[in-house]
Amino acid sequence: MLTINAGQLGISLGGHPRLQQVSFQLHEGELLALLGHNGAGKSTLIKLLLGLYQPDKGTLEVLGDKPGRQPLSVGYLPENVSFYPQMQVAELLQYFASLKGVSAGRVKQLLSEFGLAHCARQPLQVCSKGERQRLGLAQALLSRPQLLLLDEPTVGLDPLASAFMYEALEALRSQGCSIVVCTHELALVEPVLDQVLLLSQGRIAASGTLAQLQQQADLPWRIKLPANGAQWWQDSVLQPWLQQQTLQFPPSLLPQLSQRLMQHWHCVDYQLQPPDLAQLFRYFLAGRSGPAALKEAV
């Protein structure tokens, strides 16, 4: 089931193009990493998905309808969470629950699940950044949305709070919630993403699964060889790509080199290291290709 279906989206704001020819699909239970430099159009796209902006060109469906038509089915956590500082944590969550027609039982459940029970009677002005972010995510989930839109959900959080946030997202995805995460925390989102949409100046620089982007990029792959005493450097097939205990090679050579390791050296315990998300981010935004990209040990 499609959660988002976007085709050739375009929008101009203040006479300046902000998005051009942006197309993608998001299915139920998938997590999309929305990436790009500041000003690339990420927040504009999120506002289109919320129905706050209307596209000038193209088509956009969210949960089978026009964006904004099913507000209780879409949860949203903005980059800068701004709540009433004098309100208590539980009081504020109950306020949003009343606006959404959600029971007090759901409020109590979320306070417990997000580790906020201990500060439920505490004014927000004395809460930590992590507690406010957890509260922001809790309010976004009050109505059990089918789609969750997150704009930099871990900005300013310590590692433990960030890890908690992504553990919560993993649990939501397993329940069928579709998630769009706009983030610069590439190492955090990489293990949990299903798709990547990388924007540059309002256009798609790259899109697809992580494996698809790794195949598209002309970046070196690596194989970390075991330190078992084998004389790898004497192998004429491996030697051109060998740097100490690591093979560094173009992706087209992976079948040949892996076959050589297994059949000639009987080696099956090597570590394959394809380009990670941070390397792909730099590659596609810089427009690097060909031998120059291969030589650079990113």
Side-chain angles (χ1 to χ4, degrees):
M1 174 181 167
L2 275 181
T3 302
I4 298 173
N5 189 17
Q8 299 296 310
L9 283 179
I11 183 173
S12 297
L13 299 173
H16 301 286
R18 297 297 295 272
L19 290 176
Q20 301 177 65
Q21 298 180 328
V22 172
S23 299
F24 70 99
Q25 292 182 335
L26 183 66
H27 294 82
E28 181 179 335
E30 288 187 339
L31 189 148
L32 171 72
L34 179 57
L35 311 178
H37 290 310
N38 292 335
K42 305 184 300 297
S43 295
T44 299
L45 180 55
I46 286 181
K47 290 175 181 177
L48 282 168
L49 298 176
L50 289 167
L52 300 177
Y53 291 160
Q54 298 300 317
D56 300 327
K57 299 177 181 178
T59 59
L60 178 59
E61 284 188 353
V62 176
L63 299 172
D65 209 335
K66 289 185 177 181
R69 289 285 181 87
Q70 302 185 46
L72 295 182
S73 296
V74 179
Y76 173 52
L77 177 63
E79 178 178 358
N80 298 307
V81 179
S82 180
F83 291 136
Y84 304 109
Q86 286 77 30
M87 292 185 74
Q88 297 176 355
V89 170
E91 180 185 13
L92 184 131
L93 199 58
Q94 183 59 60
Y95 168 70
F96 280 105
S98 64
L99 294 178
K100 298 181 179 183
V102 175
S103 69
R106 176 64 172 160
V107 172
K108 186 176 180 180
Q109 176 190 4
L110 289 171
L111 288 172
S112 175
E113 288 182 0
F114 284 87
L116 296 169
H118 73 282
C119 60
R121 303 304 169 192
Q122 190 169 286
L124 269 78
Q125 59 191 355
V126 299
C127 289
S128 69
K129 170 70 172 177
E131 288 168 341
R132 292 196 300 272
Q133 285 294 100
R134 291 187 186 199
L135 179 59
L137 184 56
Q139 68 80 24
L141 298 175
L142 276 167
S143 59
R144 303 182 189 274
Q146 298 171 256
L147 172 63
L148 185 61
L149 306 174
L150 307 174
D151 196 350
E152 298 291 351
T154 57
V155 63
L157 298 187
D158 62 48
L160 286 178
S162 296
F164 173 89
M165 188 72 70
Y166 276 97
E167 288 170 5
L169 297 186
E170 271 283 81
L172 290 167
R173 190 177 63 168
S174 68
Q175 298 165 13
C177 182
S178 303
I179 303 170
V180 176
V181 180
C182 173
T183 182
H184 289 96
E185 301 276 6
L186 305 183
L188 288 173
V189 75
E190 181 174 355
V192 300
L193 64 84
D194 295 294
Q195 295 187 54
V196 177
L197 182 63
L198 181 54
L199 296 180
S200 176
Q201 297 181 346
R203 293 181 178 270
I204 294 179
S207 65
T209 66
L210 189 62
Q212 288 170 338
L213 266 58
Q214 288 166 342
Q215 290 294 333
Q216 293 170 24
D218 191 10
L219 284 173
W221 286 44
R222 294 178 176 87
I223 289 179
K224 181 70 174 178
L225 297 170
N228 58 7
Q231 296 177 323
W232 310 107
W233 63 90
Q234 295 183 359
D235 189 319
S236 61
V237 176
L238 303 181
Q239 195 276 333
W241 313 105
L242 188 63
Q243 297 182 11
Q244 296 180 343
Q245 289 293 120
T246 302
L247 295 172
Q248 182 170 298
F249 54 93
S252 60
L253 290 182
L254 176 60
Q256 176 187 351
L257 296 181
S258 59
Q259 183 181 41
R260 182 70 173 180
L261 289 171
M262 290 186 289
Q263 293 185 358
H264 185 78
W265 292 95
H266 307 290
C267 177
V268 295
D269 58 345
Y270 58 83
Q271 299 177 29
L272 180 62
Q273 301 172 344
D276 62 23
L277 187 58
Q279 293 169 319
L280 294 168
F281 182 93
R282 290 193 292 269
Y283 172 85
F284 284 110
L285 288 190
R288 304 291 292 277
S289 62
L294 179 60
K295 292 178 182 178
E296 181 179 347
V298 182

